[in-house]
Amino acid sequence: MEYRKLGHTDLTVSALCLGTMTWGEQNSEAEAFEQIAMAREHGVNFIDTAEMYPVPPRPETYAATERIIGNWFRQHGDRDAWTLASKVAGPGNGISHIRDGQLKLNRQHIVAALDASLQRLQTTHIDLYQLHWPERSTNFFGKLGYQHQSNDLFTPLEETLEVLDEQVRAGKIRHIGLSNETPWGTMKFLQLAESRGWPRAVSIQNPYNLLNRSFEVGLAEVAIREQCGLLAYSPLAFGMLSGKYEQGARPEGARLTLFSRFARYSNPQTVNACSRYVQLAREHGLDPVHMALAFVTQQPFVTSNIIGATTTDQLRSNLDSSEIRLSDELLAAIEAIHQDQPNPAP
């Protein structure tokens, strides 16, 4: 396993990060524990969660994922062996069960969310605390183009960053990160941090995969030059790049079979591009999972690649991708498909 610096911090994290958003919905606590143990055996020291998890978000399962992780720490006593990341939720549809649905990234909500996460996780601090998505209206969660709303009222970024600074000073969090953020938002947070002496964001967690490389357009340079590296989520595009959904297949128990809401990678052009990538991997004697994950992991702007699985077989395959290095020939072939069908999925 390769290890990389988390931004400008003294933390070194594994190039693969253990994703957890299925725990408490598609996975039981016992299954989650198996995944944690397996990831640890493979050298993973980085685990990512969120107050909103598992997904799809439901009142009945709210925060179950953090509770599972907290139970692991309590039973195994290895909290210090992990770099622990979590997130505070922003406003949005379908999450009215979280703090009455009136979510803001202000002092009241951040403090309440953080304190509750610490209690569930059974820890005194979170190493990386992230803003799950912006409070303002902007292009994230499947929207490529920005449409300005002049009447958009949102918590000033200064207030958000100031309360995060207070939590860092209180020892509740060590570092802060962004998620589903834009180039403007990222640079604004960094500018405010520098001018006010507040904590700098050390990472940005956005989608990145062979079907959605939009991060490269405006954020890759920011990630490298500002030491705010990408924590890539959906590296397999909801499992599409594994090949298991080829020709319209819907395997029993798979995410796209169970939940209709996950439709970001289902349009015709995306399905076509996906088939081309799957076929390319097989032509080169590679598991499509390994090619897709290795492509993400070896990008220079990526700090860690967030892998998630619902079975230990899937997780083992994902972890094995850390041993793969794509050849220049294969990278050129990937680029040829990308040029022909650039970013078919938003």
Side-chain angles (χ1 to χ4, degrees):
M1 181 63 64
E2 179 186 354
Y3 299 91
R4 302 168 179 175
K5 280 286 188 180
L6 179 62
H8 61 276
T9 77
D10 60 354
L11 296 178
T12 301
V13 298
S14 47
L16 296 182
C17 174
L18 183 59
T20 65
M21 74 177 191
T22 62
W23 300 357
E25 178 67 56
Q26 290 176 263
N27 289 109
S28 66
E29 178 170 285
E31 291 169 336
F33 280 15
E34 289 179 1
Q35 290 189 26
I36 296 173
M38 178 179 288
R40 191 65 189 161
E41 289 171 1
H42 281 74
V44 173
N45 70 350
F46 194 13
I47 188 167
D48 177 75
T49 189
E51 68 161 329
M52 189 189 77
Y53 291 170
V55 294
R58 299 189 294 123
E60 297 82 359
T61 58
Y62 169 58
T65 308
E66 287 190 329
R67 292 191 187 93
I68 288 172
I69 296 171
N71 289 342
W72 169 275
F73 290 150
R74 177 175 55 82
Q75 293 183 30
H76 293 80
D78 64 346
R79 167 66 183 89
D80 292 342
W82 293 91
T83 295
L84 173 64
S86 193
K87 314 178 194 74
V88 53
N93 296 327
I95 51 175
S96 59
H97 55 280
I98 304 178
R99 291 185 293 286
D100 298 322
Q102 305 302 311
L103 300 183
K104 306 283 285 184
L105 295 179
N106 60 16
R107 177 171 284 99
Q108 174 189 348
H109 285 272
I110 288 175
V111 172
L114 175 58
D115 287 348
S117 287
L118 289 170
Q119 183 176 19
R120 290 187 292 262
L121 291 163
Q122 302 188 50
T123 185
T124 59
H125 69 281
I126 292 172
D127 298 299
L128 177 65
Y129 198 56
Q130 303 155 100
L131 306 176
H132 205 155
W133 60 87
E135 181 183 328
R136 68 189 191 277
S137 297
T138 188
N139 47 324
F140 60 90
F141 286 155
K143 293 189 294 185
L144 286 180
Y146 171 70
Q147 294 182 333
H148 186 66
Q149 296 186 21
S150 58
N151 61 345
D152 187 18
L153 298 177
F154 57 92
T155 303
L157 304 191
E158 292 88 342
E159 180 179 343
T160 298
L161 199 51
E162 184 175 29
V163 67
L164 290 172
D165 176 60
E166 292 170 359
Q167 304 312 299
V168 170
R169 293 178 185 275
K172 296 179 183 179
I173 56 180
R174 295 183 65 184
H175 304 288
I176 70 166
L178 307 172
S179 184
N180 296 294
E181 194 46 277
T182 67
W184 179 85
T186 303
M187 289 305 300
K188 189 67 175 177
F189 272 113
L190 293 172
Q191 175 206 2
L192 288 170
E194 291 185 2
S195 64
R196 306 291 181 87
W198 291 332
R200 282 174 54 93
V202 300
S203 61
I204 175 171
Q205 185 174 148
N206 277 27
Y208 183 74
N209 54 60
L210 288 169
L211 302 173
N212 179 357
R213 293 169 56 180
S214 58
F215 189 90
E216 297 175 9
V217 177
L219 279 165
E221 182 180 12
V222 174
I224 294 172
R225 294 189 185 277
E226 299 294 336
Q227 292 183 281
C228 187
L230 173 63
L231 307 182
Y233 78 78
S234 287
L236 290 176
F238 297 167
M240 288 287 291
L241 288 163
S242 71
K244 66 182 179 183
Y245 297 115
E246 284 292 282
Q247 298 181 340
R250 287 296 181 266
E252 182 179 356
R255 187 187 310 177
L256 300 189
T257 307
L258 294 173
F259 308 115
S260 60
R261 64 178 280 152
F262 294 112
R264 189 184 302 185
Y265 299 100
S266 300
N267 65 61
Q269 60 268 31
T270 299
V271 171
N272 180 63
C274 183
S275 294
R276 294 177 66 182
Y277 287 121
V278 168
Q279 180 61 30
L280 176 65
R282 290 170 175 162
E283 288 172 356
H284 284 257
L286 284 176
D287 184 330
V289 167
H290 292 166
M291 186 185 82
L293 291 178
F295 175 81
V296 173
T297 305
Q298 69 186 66
Q299 296 304 314
F301 48 81
V302 170
T303 296
S304 194
N305 185 359
I306 303 174
I307 56 171
T310 54
T311 70
T312 51
D313 285 343
Q314 289 174 342
L315 181 60
R316 185 178 293 107
S317 178
N318 291 351
L319 291 165
D320 287 345
S321 72
S322 66
E323 306 300 322
I324 305 295
R325 186 76 183 179
L326 303 186
S327 67
D328 290 342
E329 177 189 3
L330 182 51
L331 289 172
I334 288 173
E335 198 62 27
I337 297 175
H338 176 65
Q339 292 300 318
D340 190 43
Q341 289 187 289
N343 297 320

